[in-house]
Amino acid sequence: MLTDYHKARQITLAQSFNWGEERVPLAEAGGRVLAESLRTDRPLPPYDRVTMDGIAINHAGYTTGRRVFKIDGIVAAGVAPATLTNPEHCLEVMTGAVLPPGTTTIIRYEDLVREGDHFVLPDGVEDAKNIHRQGSDAAEGEELALAGLRIGGAAINLLAGCGYAEVRVKRFPYVAIVATGDELVGVGETPLPHQIRMSNVFQLQHQLATGELQASTHHLADDKIELSAGIERLLADNDVLIFSGGVSKGKYDFLPEVLAALGVRKLFHGVAQRPGKPIWVGRTDDTMVFGLPGNPVSSLTGLLAYVGPFLRKNQGLAERVEMRVLATDFSFGKDLTLFQVSSIDPATQLVHPVTNAGSGDASSMLRADGLLVLPRGRSTFAAGEAFEFIPFDKIL
Ligand code: AMP
Ligand code: MG
């Protein structure tokens, strides 16, 4: 009995694991999920900040009609400012400097004429210009990003600014990607005529790395004893196992049997989808197991349709469904959810199905940006209709 895609996805997302939290250096925090709130330790900005190179004056000295101001000194960024005592004088100030006490507005060099030790000011100078006020972005002790946020560039900027040399994040799972198959040899080896190099595992590893997730790679032969011993070890050491191959109906597809014998409880085996129909998913108390079929487009589909959403969910992130509009009419006659390898036209943002020679055609993925999910129960899909789209480069 094949499980429907939506049901299979729902079962997968219902599996929750507590992987805990860990502290990581800020430089490694990108892509991780914050497990604490970011709080400012000072107001942002921490002082009235000068935002232009120029001069600071007391506007009271200008409203008297004075246009020539004697230069009392320079205040650079990074120094404690001098105080302007005479409102008929000015201080040169640099961007990032503290607004000198006794001054109220900044005039940029572009609007000034220098004559010896004086500046000549134009008409129309307004008070309180070119100053980024203390605390105007955030107050001291304010919560800026809530726990549960995925750390991106902006969060890193603020975390750094607020002194977080280390950040508490959700722990990433230990993930092992396992190639199965006697026909597979290593990348650096020369295959015999009846062999191929294992390639899927490295693609899966890279796809996970797009989400900053590190995974180890392994290879097990189509042999029950070797599989059993290898998997027992991998189950003990990992939170998530991802297999490529060995779950179909072939005489040497031993994985379902071996996993069951090792106490991995089956959640579903076989989904009404193409490609990737033979997918096997199960778990123990501590480890989630994804058995993805070995054809390259099938294993990628399994990773993107199930493993990615599962990882997101267990990092506490909301489910993400991206919708995209089909560029051309398309038809597919089988009662299966079709994960169609597709490209996005950069000009129109519309989705174009990429023709391929089936799930074994790894090269078709080169011309594509993701998978368009075309629902079962219908055979024609019209240009202009929107469907779920799973991008290749966004696992988390
Ligand atoms: P299987 O799911 O084991 O029946 O494998 C389906 C097809 O995918 C076979 O042609 C395998 O040789 C191929 N295959 C399995 N694993 C890999 C891998 N890691 N890299 C490349 N091709 C693979
Ligand atoms: Mg195989």
Side-chain angles (χ1 to χ4, degrees):
M1 243 315 259
L2 296 176
T3 304
D4 181 70
Y5 160 55
H6 294 284
K7 177 77 182 158
R9 187 168 166 130
Q10 184 197 328
I11 293 170
T12 306
L13 291 181
Q15 309 310 313
S16 51
F17 292 82
N18 184 1
W19 296 324
E21 299 171 3
E22 62 182 336
R23 292 180 72 79
V24 297
L26 185 60
E28 292 164 25
R32 306 298 298 268
V33 176
L34 259 181
E36 62 182 333
S37 282
L38 187 175
R39 277 187 188 281
T40 60
D41 62 336
R42 305 163 76 198
L44 289 181
Y47 45 80
D48 285 341
R49 188 177 71 88
V50 172
T51 66
M52 288 285 175
D53 300 318
I55 61 167
I57 62 165
N58 184 333
H59 200 256
Y62 180 87
T63 48
T64 62
R66 166 170 294 279
R67 293 295 176 267
V68 179
F69 287 73
K70 180 170 182 297
I71 305 162
D72 269 0
I74 300 187
V75 180
V79 303
T83 298
L84 184 74
T85 45
N86 186 338
E88 298 181 349
H89 292 186
C90 67
L91 285 166
E92 286 185 81
V93 286
M94 304 301 130
T95 302
V98 178
L99 181 75
T103 67
T104 65
T105 193
I106 309 296
I107 306 108
R108 8 174 250 170
Y109 281 132
E110 292 89 319
D111 299 329
L112 299 168
V113 176
R114 181 160 183 156
E115 287 178 357
D117 61 354
H118 291 77
F119 275 108
V120 181
L121 279 62
D123 289 337
V125 167
E126 290 175 49
D127 199 9
K129 286 292 171 192
N130 303 318
I131 301 163
H132 189 188
R133 289 290 174 196
Q134 180 184 49
S136 60
D137 297 345
E140 181 176 328
E142 189 172 327
E143 196 167 277
L144 280 189
L146 297 173
L149 179 96
R150 189 145 187 261
I151 300 174
I156 287 179
N157 190 323
L158 288 160
L159 285 161
C162 294
Y164 286 79
E166 283 193 338
V167 192
R168 187 199 297 284
V169 296
K170 299 270 180 73
R171 183 173 76 75
F172 266 162
Y174 287 102
V175 181
I177 305 169
V178 192
T180 68
D182 290 349
E183 74 278 31
L184 305 176
V185 299
V187 180
E189 292 173 50
T190 306
L192 296 170
H194 49 274
Q195 295 177 321
I196 58 167
R197 295 192 183 88
M198 65 181 84
S199 55
N200 297 355
V201 287
F202 302 109
Q203 177 174 15
L204 301 183
Q205 185 181 41
H206 166 77
Q207 302 296 148
L208 292 173
T210 65
E212 310 297 338
L213 232 138
Q214 306 300 313
S216 58
T217 57
H218 310 264
H219 178 212
L220 296 173
D222 289 324
D223 173 87
K224 283 191 209 177
I225 308 234
E226 180 177 330
L227 278 172
S228 183
I231 295 171
E232 190 165 21
R233 192 169 29 83
L234 290 165
L235 279 171
D237 293 346
N238 292 279
D239 302 300
V240 180
L241 298 188
I242 303 170
F243 291 93
S244 155
V247 291
S248 305
K249 294 209 174 344
K251 284 272 155 31
Y252 304 97
D253 291 331
F254 298 132
L255 261 187
E257 177 188 336
V258 170
L259 287 166
L262 287 168
V264 183
R265 305 186 294 276
K266 182 181 85 178
L267 294 166
F268 56 86
H269 185 192
V271 175
Q273 68 174 66
R274 177 179 289 177
K277 187 163 74 175
I279 183 172
W280 190 102
V281 174
R283 66 173 291 174
T284 64
D285 287 349
D286 302 321
T287 305
M288 185 74 177
V289 179
F290 294 92
L292 311 179
N295 272 311
V297 187
S298 305
S299 58
L300 178 67
T301 300
L303 187 87
L304 296 176
Y306 302 101
V307 183
F310 165 80
L311 293 171
R312 276 186 69 82
K313 176 79 193 304
N314 278 282
Q315 286 285 298
L317 297 168
E319 196 175 355
R320 178 184 55 212
V321 178
E322 189 174 319
M323 302 297 284
R324 288 267 176 186
V325 176
L326 192 54
T328 51
D329 290 344
F330 190 82
S331 61
F332 177 65
K334 298 271 187 307
D335 184 25
L336 301 169
T337 300
L338 179 66
F339 291 85
Q340 175 61 42
V341 172
S342 300
S343 65
I344 296 171
D345 182 328
T348 62
Q349 293 297 307
L350 297 175
V351 178
H352 293 263
V354 167
T355 50
N356 65 64
S359 59
D361 182 3
S363 71
S364 65
M365 296 183 283
L366 277 178
R367 303 185 296 275
D369 300 299
L371 301 169
L372 191 67
V373 187
L374 298 170
R376 61 192 288 218
R378 53 186 283 192
S379 55
T380 57
F381 307 91
E385 259 193 279
F387 298 98
E388 181 186 354
F389 181 83
I390 310 179
F392 284 160
D393 58 356
K394 249 192 256 169
I395 193 87
L396 277 187

